[in-house]
Amino acid sequence: ELPPAIIASATLRCSDNSLVYVDFFQGDKKATLRTEANGAPHPLNAENAGDPFTGDGYTLTGNKDAATIEMPGKGMLRCHV
């Protein structure tokens, strides 16, 4: 079985002026987050579509246009396109 397809990719600017790079996958239960353009991806999963994505100490709530992201060492950040 093939992995789900990427349905959206976004570069979001956060409230601390940093950038995050997020890929959202079909089914709304999987995303990957990178804190650097070519950095290692952090896989995030949601139990149900619409739930926050979590993994590797990160929590992402939102979508390709705007999200709240909790990151290790940075706390809660608001990010948007």
Side-chain angles (χ1 to χ4, degrees):
E1 183 177 317
L2 294 172
I6 295 174
I7 57 169
S9 292
T11 301
L12 304 175
R13 179 156 314 268
C14 297
S15 53
D16 69 349
N17 212 32
S18 65
L19 294 173
V20 293
Y21 308 87
V22 185
D23 294 321
F24 294 93
F25 292 83
Q26 186 174 7
D28 297 324
K29 293 184 181 180
K30 180 177 172 59
T32 57
L33 181 138
R34 289 177 283 122
T35 56
E36 298 176 6
N38 294 316
H42 300 282
L44 307 175
N45 296 293
E47 181 126 354
N48 300 297
D51 287 352
F53 299 96
T54 60
D56 283 351
Y58 295 82
T59 301
L60 183 149
T61 304
N63 58 42
K64 66 179 180 62
D65 298 315
T68 302
I69 303 172
E70 188 169 348
M71 293 188 231
K74 289 196 174 188
M76 187 77 68
L77 300 172
R78 295 190 187 280
C79 308
H80 59 86
V81 173

